[in-house]
Amino acid sequence: MRNLWLFISKYNAFFLFCLFFIASLSLLLNNNSYQKAWTLGISHQFIGEIYERVNFFKNYLHLEEVNNSLALENTRLKNELKSSYLIDTVEKHIVRDSTRKLQYIYIVARVVNNSIHQQNNYLIINRGSKHGIKRGMGVTGPDGIVGIIRDVTENFARVQSVLHTESRFSASVNGSIGSLVWGERSLNSKIAILKDIPSHIKVKPNDLVVTSGYSLFPMGIKIGHVKRVGLKGGNSFLDIEVVLSTDFSSLQYVYVINNKLAQEQQAIEAQTQNP
Amino acid sequence: MTNIFILNLVRFIVLSLIQVFLLQNVGYYNLSIPFLYILFILLLPIKIPHWLLFLLSFVSGLTIDIFYDTLGLHTTACTVMALARIIFINLTLQQDKYESNQTPSLGTMGFRWFFFYAVTLTFFHHTILFLFETFRFSDILYTLLRTVSSSIFTITLIFIYEYIFFHKRIR
């Protein structure tokens, strides 16, 4: 203690200088808008750069999984190619096909920020209004649905993921339609709950749960499979636990679905609600 | 002791008034601006305690800042200048030779010492002042030019002031 005091008093000019310099510098930075803006700008840029670096290395860790999922998706898409179907018609004539219009357009996007441990989870993707993204569009991943677009800026969009207590998705299992919710009982990022399925429907574990086509998503997009079927006492509805097929913890690429007829559909739905 | 206190107080008030009401309107565009008020810090007694020196520098910088509406800018420059003063005096003078209330002025210290003293401290003060005013290194040459030309202006004024008020003691 004595030595410390001696040390301080020997170099007291320096310590006093530090004290007064910090005081005057804080005066300067707090009261002059230009200097303040400059300092804040530098620190934000610095932090942003660090995040970007970390993200860059994190991407490498998931490289194998991403590769696998891309390869799987490639094979799936190849299976849907026209050339892989067997052509067994003998007669050919050209028909100008005006009935088949493109209803859904897919926009690929990369996930730049992701959370799965909160009660209300969001993802940020690197596509925004510049790329034609609008509020309310559906988002799917390579394995199944991911969420809905909530907010859109010029270059980025925020996705309200399935892992959100206010998310509700229309889902169907064995032809019967219910609604998919998450986070009522547990915050496990792999399990969601399918409600409103009448109890007379037969549902077994491992049955496939897909989108119903009533909402923003095209019909038949995979959501997950049934894990456990329960019946709440005295209730006429089943209580189904669904294992989500999308692994939210390693999600890197998603597809935003632009439903070209969404506006028309919403308009007529609004009409029925307010006659 | 009261004598030296009142002398410094009067000097502080006079220099601040000159700075705020006269020199604020004087200057060669933005390039050469005089800051005569730093003479107050230059002329504080040689043996002044460090804490008092820092405190007075801080207060005088703050006073000028309030009138110039650049809170913190002159304060920072004056604090750095106080440190430069302590180091300069430690390096060039043997302090035990001097009386407790002696002022390091032109009359008592001689032209050569006072000239280097004034030039060094003014340069430190102006460098910090203009650097923190522009707050970036991209226009460093322009900032340096402003520092040098303003220093010349300030030092000229310091010598004029010294010759007017302490002319008799030189002889």
Side-chain angles (χ1 to χ4, degrees), chain A residues 55-229:
Chain A
N55 225 352
F56 181 73
F57 284 108
K58 262 185 171 172
N59 280 349
Y60 275 104
L61 300 178
H62 294 295
L63 213 54
E64 200 185 335
E65 294 155 44
V66 173
N67 265 345
N68 283 340
S69 76
L70 282 179
L72 276 176
E73 197 175 10
N74 266 346
T75 51
R76 189 173 64 76
L77 290 176
K78 268 184 188 156
N79 289 339
E80 288 175 11
L81 277 180
K82 216 175 178 182
S83 57
S84 52
Y85 286 102
L86 182 69
I87 302 167
D88 53 358
T89 48
V90 182
E91 234 180 358
K92 275 189 189 171
H93 57 265
I94 297 163
V95 176
R96 212 170 176 75
D97 190 355
S98 58
T99 53
R100 275 176 58 126
K101 276 187 185 157
L102 200 58
Q103 191 188 351
Y104 297 103
I105 296 173
Y106 290 79
I107 305 160
V108 68
R110 201 161 70 81
V111 176
V112 292
N113 196 355
N114 188 2
S115 75
I116 59 168
H117 298 300
Q118 261 90 46
Q119 199 170 10
N120 296 319
N121 294 293
Y122 294 96
L123 297 94
I124 309 289
I125 57 173
N126 67 346
R127 292 281 185 271
S129 57
K130 213 162 82 178
H131 312 97
I133 307 252
K134 288 197 190 68
R135 192 189 142 95
M137 287 181 177
V139 181
T140 66
D143 299 322
I145 65 165
V146 170
I148 304 174
I149 301 281
R150 244 328 118 200
D151 303 302
V152 183
T153 60
E154 200 187 339
N155 288 306
F156 292 95
R158 195 157 73 126
V159 181
Q160 177 181 326
S161 102
V162 175
L163 312 180
H164 189 291
T165 49
E166 281 168 25
S167 288
R168 266 163 200 283
F169 293 93
S170 177
S172 79
V173 57
N174 295 350
S176 172
I177 289 165
S179 62
L180 187 85
V181 295
W182 179 84
E184 280 192 351
R185 263 167 271 163
S186 73
L187 297 182
N188 187 341
S189 69
K190 294 197 169 70
I191 308 281
I193 290 160
L194 182 59
K195 294 164 100 182
D196 300 341
I197 300 282
S199 54
H200 66 269
I201 303 287
K202 286 208 172 81
V203 180
K204 297 188 298 295
N206 285 330
D207 278 354
L208 200 64
V209 181
V210 293
T211 54
S212 67
Y214 283 6
S215 58
L216 316 140
F217 296 96
M219 205 169 122
I221 289 187
K222 198 176 167 192
I223 294 177
H225 55 84
V226 175
K227 187 192 174 200
R228 203 171 58 79
V229 185

Side-chain angles (χ1 to χ4, degrees), chain B residues 3-165:
Chain B
N3 193 16
I4 194 108
F5 175 74
I6 290 168
L7 183 70
N8 274 300
L9 186 68
V10 170
R11 189 187 287 136
F12 173 65
I13 292 169
V14 168
L15 283 173
S16 297
L17 287 179
I18 292 176
Q19 181 66 44
V20 171
F21 293 109
L22 184 64
L23 296 182
Q24 197 173 2
N25 310 313
V26 177
Y28 184 73
Y29 299 108
N30 223 351
L31 202 59
S32 181
I33 310 159
F35 293 104
L36 185 62
Y37 75 96
I38 60 169
L39 186 59
F40 165 69
I41 301 166
L42 287 177
L43 292 184
L44 286 169
I46 293 176
K47 283 187 144 180
I48 187 170
H50 290 164
W51 63 270
L52 190 60
L53 175 66
F54 275 117
L55 191 68
L56 289 176
S57 312
F58 192 85
V59 169
S60 65
L62 199 61
T63 313
I64 301 302
D65 270 334
I66 288 166
F67 286 104
Y68 272 63
D69 202 21
T70 54
L71 207 60
L73 187 61
H74 287 267
T75 321
T76 313
C78 285
T79 311
V80 173
M81 186 185 156
L83 183 75
R85 186 195 133 120
I86 289 169
I87 293 169
F88 188 88
I89 286 185
N90 266 343
L91 288 179
T92 54
L93 296 180
Q94 287 171 316
Q95 287 186 49
D96 36 319
K97 270 197 198 169
Y98 296 91
E99 293 166 35
S100 64
N101 57 4
Q102 196 174 352
T103 303
S105 67
L106 180 61
T108 53
M109 305 304 293
F111 180 83
R112 224 183 85 174
W113 186 87
F114 188 77
F115 179 75
F116 282 115
Y117 178 62
V119 167
T120 313
L121 296 203
T122 309
F123 189 72
F124 265 99
H125 176 270
H126 285 28
T127 309
I128 296 296
L129 185 74
F130 289 121
L131 259 185
F132 277 78
E133 194 182 7
T134 52
F135 221 73
R136 55 171 170 254
F137 284 105
S138 53
D139 301 330
I140 188 75
L141 278 178
Y142 181 64
T143 309
L144 215 65
L145 185 68
R146 285 177 78 191
T147 308
V148 171
S149 56
S150 298
S151 296
I152 292 169
F153 203 161
T154 306
I155 290 161
T156 314
L157 284 180
I158 285 174
F159 274 86
I160 290 172
Y161 182 94
E162 282 289 277
Y163 273 110
I164 290 171
F165 286 93

